[in-house]
Amino acid sequence: MSVSDLQAIILAAGKGTRMYSTLPKVLHTICGRSLLWKALATVAHYKPRKIVVVVGYGEELVRAEVERFAKSLTDPIKIECVTQSEQRGTGHAVQTALSALDPSPGNILILPGDLPLLTGGTLLPLFSAETPPAKLHILSCDVPDPTGFGRIVREEDGTVLAIVEEKDCSEEERDISEINSGIYLLERELLNESIQSLQPNNAQKELYLTDIVEFSVDAEQPVEAVIAPDCYPLLGANTRLELASLERMRRDEMVSEYMLAGVSFEDPSAVYIDEGILIGRDCFIGAGTRLLGATTIGSGVIIDGQSRILNSTIGASCYIKLNCVITSSSLGEDCSVGPFAHLRPGSRLERRVHIGNFVETKKTELGEGAKANHLTYLGDSVIGANANVGAGTITCNYDGFNKHLTEIGEGAFIGSNSSLVAPVKIGARAIVGAGSVITKDVAEDALAVERSEVRTLPEWAKNFRARHKKSVS
Ligand code: UD1
Ligand code: CA
């Protein structure tokens, strides 16, 4: 089929009853991407003039996802949502979409919005089918278990006659293993004519899109069902159980690709990685690691495991020790983080920064080589290069109403168990004595110490113990 002037319709109005969810089925995710996103990305691959998405159940949420997708495109595509208020079947959904298409003859691609493993490549057989010169192409597939799918009914010579839904199948038809994927490519004119002919005379009393096949055959318009070489990307998920098993398949596939590109996994079956994450060569990913959202991992990074990294950039050669949570943050090269560290949104680490155990950072910049190795909270702060933040340091950034800034200059040394009450500035190379509560700015190179004198009472402890012993005996 020579494909010119392509437009697409994505069917996404259904609830997905068997998910038992308030979330529309098309918004359930697989490796971090919604099913709808997958359908949109698949279609976008072919650069159509326009995409029409049929929405219905949970339409505000579905429209918002469409918007997010549209915004993510560097090469914009016209996308419009139309509402199908009552879900009267796939044929009715397409009828609803028709008026939103641009008025040009061309070809229309129709696909369901609920195929979790769909990619641009999946549709290739549909676009590369050459003979015979059909006006309607269906992507079909030979499966070991056709339960639940529409069956492709062919004449003995192979000519396609109809698609029959399982509920309407005769005994004989039920045995057919060639199924309808729900993806079609057809000429606009044929769609216009055939879609008006639909009648709800079937077991489900719906308008079936699949009935356009019989219409075309009756109108002597050639129909071709192109058998996909691989049925795996055409599998749908009706339940959460099926979705989880498809996700596992997709994850295995992704992890295999990473391994073949030079990434090692402690246990390839025990990592959770979202679609589209870049991981550099010679990384080691420990068991229980979650790499989510828009995350990038530079080359030579070691992640011990049990960490969750979301929307973050990890520079080359960083070492993420066990049990860290890193969200919307960036790490320069050669940083070391954890074990048990929490980098909250807006944490920016330059090169060679060390963040140790039980350290929490938020909206905080640490200059090259700065260290905060133990039990510390750094919020709304800017910390200069090579500064050393001692154990138990707290930036008191919140006064109950507003957040304030703490600045620590280059090479400054903050003694253990200090509280820095913001807004406050510690000058470059200054030293804060351990245990101080700092409420005023400290000049460069100064020592600030806030602490009462130590009282020592000689022999007091010994006498105390002696008294205590007597009273017991
Ligand atoms: C459909 C096909 C079946 C095919 C199967 C492949 C029909 C009649 N049957 O069946 O031949 O084997 O897909 O997966 O087309 N939708 C709407 N509005 C509606 C009804 C559905 O937008 O009124 C959307 C759903 O949200 C879903 C898609 O259309 O994304 C497919 O609908 P679904 O009910 O899952 O169709 P199947 O019964 O699976
Ligand atoms: Ca389905």
Side-chain angles (χ1 to χ4, degrees), residues 11-14 84 87-90 93 113-114 149-150 165 180-181 208 210:
L11 309 181
Q84 183 196 20
Q87 281 80 64
R88 291 172 47 210
T90 47
D114 65 346
F149 290 98
E165 291 307 295
N180 168 30
S181 70
Y208 283 173
T210 44

Side-chain angles (χ1 to χ4, degrees), residues 17-140:
T17 314
R18 281 180 288 164
M19 297 301 278
Y20 293 99
S21 175
T22 48
L23 196 66
K25 177 174 169 187
V26 295
L27 295 188
H28 282 260
T29 58
I30 196 156
C31 299
R33 287 262 202 279
S34 70
L35 308 189
L36 179 59
W37 187 289
K38 293 255 179 175
L40 285 161
T42 298
V43 171
H45 183 82
Y46 292 94
K47 302 198 176 3
R49 156 208 286 264
K50 185 168 188 185
I51 304 174
V52 176
V53 184
V54 183
V55 300
Y57 179 78
E59 72 168 293
E60 296 80 29
L61 295 172
V62 179
R63 281 173 185 268
E65 178 74 346
V66 170
E67 198 123 310
R68 269 194 294 280
F69 176 81
K71 281 200 186 126
S72 78
L73 290 172
T74 38
D75 232 352
I77 297 176
K78 244 199 292 182
I79 309 181
E80 185 179 334
C81 293
V82 294
T83 305
Q84 183 196 20
S85 322
E86 216 186 321
Q87 281 80 64
R88 291 172 47 210
T90 47
H92 180 250
V94 172
Q95 285 178 352
T96 314
L98 230 43
S99 60
L101 290 171
D102 276 357
S104 65
N107 293 285
I108 312 294
L109 173 67
I110 303 176
L111 69 164
D114 65 346
L115 297 180
L117 301 177
L118 210 56
T119 65
T122 316
L123 306 190
L124 267 182
L126 205 52
F127 283 90
S128 43
E130 286 292 341
T131 49
K135 292 194 169 177
L136 165 57
H137 282 88
I138 306 153
L139 191 61
S140 73

Side-chain angles (χ1 to χ4, degrees), residues 7-301:
Q7 299 190 65
I9 301 173
I10 296 177
L11 309 181
K15 179 172 196 261
T17 314
R18 281 180 288 164
M19 297 301 278
Y20 293 99
S21 175
T22 48
L23 196 66
K25 177 174 169 187
V26 295
L27 295 188
H28 282 260
T29 58
I30 196 156
C31 299
R33 287 262 202 279
S34 70
L35 308 189
L36 179 59
W37 187 289
K38 293 255 179 175
L40 285 161
T42 298
V43 171
H45 183 82
Y46 292 94
K47 302 198 176 3
R49 156 208 286 264
K50 185 168 188 185
I51 304 174
V52 176
V53 184
V54 183
V55 300
Y57 179 78
E59 72 168 293
E60 296 80 29
L61 295 172
V62 179
R63 281 173 185 268
E65 178 74 346
V66 170
E67 198 123 310
R68 269 194 294 280
F69 176 81
K71 281 200 186 126
S72 78
L73 290 172
T74 38
D75 232 352
I77 297 176
K78 244 199 292 182
I79 309 181
E80 185 179 334
C81 293
V82 294
T83 305
Q84 183 196 20
S85 322
E86 216 186 321
Q87 281 80 64
R88 291 172 47 210
T90 47
H92 180 250
V94 172
Q95 285 178 352
T96 314
L98 230 43
S99 60
L101 290 171
D102 276 357
S104 65
N107 293 285
I108 312 294
L109 173 67
I110 303 176
L111 69 164
D114 65 346
L115 297 180
L117 301 177
L118 210 56
T119 65
T122 316
L123 306 190
L124 267 182
L126 205 52
F127 283 90
S128 43
E130 286 292 341
T131 49
K135 292 194 169 177
L136 165 57
H137 282 88
I138 306 153
L139 191 61
S140 73
C141 191
D142 249 316
V143 293
D145 177 13
T147 310
F149 290 98
R151 312 293 205 278
I152 308 282
V153 180
R154 294 182 187 255
E155 246 177 325
E156 274 190 7
D157 67 358
T159 311
V160 174
L161 289 179
I163 299 175
V164 183
E165 291 307 295
E166 175 154 286
K167 286 183 177 144
D168 305 294
C169 274
S170 65
E171 287 283 307
E172 227 170 65
E173 288 165 341
R174 197 157 292 165
D175 288 339
I176 298 173
S177 62
E178 185 184 0
I179 58 105
N180 168 30
S181 70
I183 304 173
Y184 319 82
L185 182 61
L186 72 165
E187 286 185 5
R188 171 75 179 265
E189 208 185 314
L190 178 58
L191 178 62
N192 285 345
E193 289 165 17
S194 58
I195 204 73
Q196 302 312 334
S197 73
L198 303 180
Q199 296 296 326
N201 46 14
N202 50 59
Q204 302 189 82
K205 303 277 173 279
E206 287 184 351
L207 296 182
Y208 283 173
L209 178 58
T210 44
D211 287 349
I212 62 174
V213 175
E214 269 186 275
F215 176 94
S216 304
V217 171
D218 290 346
E220 295 183 351
Q221 301 285 2
V223 176
E224 197 190 344
V226 192
I227 302 178
D230 179 12
C231 61
Y232 150 83
L234 298 172
L235 299 175
N238 289 311
T239 64
R240 294 177 198 240
L241 192 67
E242 286 170 3
L243 194 64
S245 102
L246 293 185
E247 184 167 47
R248 207 154 35 238
M249 287 163 77
R250 176 63 190 136
R251 202 184 296 135
D252 285 351
E253 184 179 72
M254 281 163 50
V255 171
S256 304
E257 283 166 13
Y258 286 124
M259 289 194 285
L260 291 172
V263 179
S264 293
F265 290 85
E266 181 182 12
D267 178 353
S269 68
V271 289
Y272 308 90
I273 302 180
D274 278 353
E275 204 73 55
I277 287 183
L278 297 176
I279 308 179
R281 276 191 191 187
D282 289 319
C283 285
F284 172 87
I285 314 288
T289 299
R290 289 175 163 72
L291 303 179
L292 310 173
T295 287
T296 307
I297 311 288
S299 56
V301 169

Side-chain angles (χ1 to χ4, degrees), residues 229 279 292 366 380 416 426 440 447:
I279 308 179
L292 310 173
L366 289 114
D380 303 289
S416 296
I426 313 295
K440 293 189 188 115
L447 165 71

